[in-house]
Amino acid sequence: MARLIVEKSPPLKGHVKVSGAKNSVLPIMAASLMSEGNIVLQDIPNLEDVDVMKDVLDAIGSQVQYKGRGIIEIITPRILTCEAPNDLVKKMRASFLIMGALLARTGRARMYMPGGCNIGVRPVDLHLKGFSALGTEIIQEHGYIEARAKKLRGTTIYLDFPSVGATENIMMAACFAEGQTVIENAAEEPEIVDLANFLNKMGAKIKGAGTDTIKIEGVKQLGSAEHRVIPDRIEVGTFMAAGAITGGDIVIDNVIMDHVVSIAAKLKEAGVEIIPYGNSVRVRSDGCLKATDVKTLPYPGFPTDMQAPFMALMSVARGNSIIIETIFENRFLHVEELKRMGAKIKIEGRSAIVEGVPKLTGAQVKVTDLRAGAALVLAGLVAEGKSEITDIFHIDRGYERLEEKLKGLGAIINRVQD
């Protein structure tokens, strides 16, 4: 098992380039199952989750090949099985996104309930509600979900919550449905837009992605396409936070500022200078952060994936801040680990009251989920002494070469392989 050793670091300085968005790559790879043509994807991050999705596609019948750094080619001439291997599905929740793609292409999909980070209950009922509305029979037994459809028919589907995964799965299935499908109260995340753009390149007819109403006109088939994945906005936010907490002056490249407006706004409230230019953003901080309240919301609100990293900042900010988590009910697992480092945080339901302290101290801490891992690394950069961070496989699921990129900015951080 690997671990990270993080020491108190000087203010970060220099340039860093973010990778393609993990939360775009995975649904786009799943959507490639809908085409018999040649799919070429660019700016693909080297992540554990991407490797798992590659293995899922290989098992189903795809031929997935790396064609150079950040480029993969996917060809699926035929579907060998409509069931994904259990051992892969249990590793990653995003594997459930193949359901919509398989339903569209074959009219059948069967898989075990998916795994992933333990950040709370994430039911797939909205996915299944959408599939049912399109004319699918749903069978749930012995931990499996099976969907069967002789013919998919377009309809209007209202989502009780703007779920990203449900929006993506329904959008994929609806591409081959007869007539028009309308998804109301759809998720508006940039990753939804990226998936829609990719599907349209293959020949789909999707309008309204990025708004709360998406319309899909069914087509008979999808063809070849080449697509570059959007930058990872959560990685952008994490490096912005790293510059802020260390009192650094860094430039982050490969950024779409429209995607990080809420993150930038909260950092400005905390006293951080944010200077966008072109496809880059400069982050300057004197390290004296002001307490700032945050409430996570669906996009374009403050992202739940930035809640833990922002809490690390508020742990050393002047004053008290309140962080409210509205998306996942179990996303405060990192609090106990931050408290090991000297943070003063009190949990009341879905709220965390953070009292800023003058300093944190190094400690042995354990990563509980992907974004919690980022929070512990940020805390380690300003903590006195050394911090040993274990269970970093969570970090590797979503950040490409995080410690190497931080090292390039001057951070004192090393990966140790046991």
Side-chain angles (χ1 to χ4, degrees), residues 103-335:
L103 263 180
R105 183 159 174 184
T106 69
R108 181 175 178 268
R110 185 175 189 267
M111 67 188 303
Y112 199 77
M113 286 292 290
C117 285
N118 182 28
I119 57 176
V121 177
R122 292 185 284 177
V124 295
D125 56 329
L126 294 180
H127 303 241
L128 303 183
K129 174 184 173 182
F131 293 156
S132 295
L134 292 170
T136 303
E137 178 188 7
I138 305 294
I139 302 166
Q140 296 187 64
E141 57 184 10
H142 307 300
Y144 282 86
I145 296 176
E146 184 170 352
R148 300 174 184 167
K150 293 182 179 179
K151 190 173 189 178
L152 295 170
R153 292 183 174 84
T155 186
T156 297
I157 301 166
Y158 178 84
L159 296 180
D160 298 323
F161 178 83
S163 161
V164 173
T167 300
E168 291 169 337
N169 242 338
I170 295 167
M171 189 163 64
M172 283 187 271
C175 283
F176 286 175
E178 185 179 273
Q180 184 185 75
T181 300
V182 179
I183 307 174
E184 297 179 341
N185 197 32
E188 301 176 29
E189 273 74 359
E191 294 80 14
I192 299 288
V193 179
D194 206 26
L195 174 61
N197 288 341
F198 170 67
L199 289 166
N200 284 340
K201 286 180 180 179
M202 290 198 294
K205 295 181 178 179
I206 302 171
K207 294 180 180 180
T211 74
D212 63 358
T213 303
I214 301 175
K215 296 180 179 180
I216 306 109
E217 293 288 344
V219 297
K220 297 294 185 183
Q221 63 181 19
L222 298 178
S224 301
E226 185 170 327
H227 184 74
R228 182 179 297 276
V229 174
I230 60 173
D232 194 316
R233 60 193 173 98
I234 305 303
E235 186 181 0
V236 173
T238 300
F239 280 111
M240 292 170 81
I245 199 170
T246 62
D249 184 352
I250 66 173
V251 175
I252 307 168
D253 298 319
N254 193 29
V255 177
I256 300 176
M257 280 304 298
D258 285 349
H259 295 174
V260 293
V261 169
S262 62
I263 301 170
K266 285 298 171 181
L267 288 173
K268 287 179 182 178
E269 283 185 39
V272 181
E273 190 175 5
I274 308 294
I275 310 166
Y277 60 95
N279 295 324
S280 301
V281 60
R282 184 178 183 182
V283 179
R284 291 197 300 200
S285 168
D286 60 7
C288 296
L289 302 170
K290 294 181 289 187
T292 305
D293 295 341
V294 157
K295 182 178 183 180
T296 64
L297 291 167
Y299 188 86
F302 191 87
T304 180
D305 282 350
M306 279 301 299
Q307 177 256 108
F310 197 83
M311 188 181 290
L313 267 67
M314 293 301 97
S315 296
V316 292
R318 297 192 311 273
N320 296 339
S321 55
I322 299 174
I323 298 176
I324 302 172
E325 174 60 57
T326 72
I327 309 299
F328 296 117
E329 76 285 353
N330 200 28
R331 205 160 199 177
F332 284 147
L333 295 177
H334 51 279
V335 168

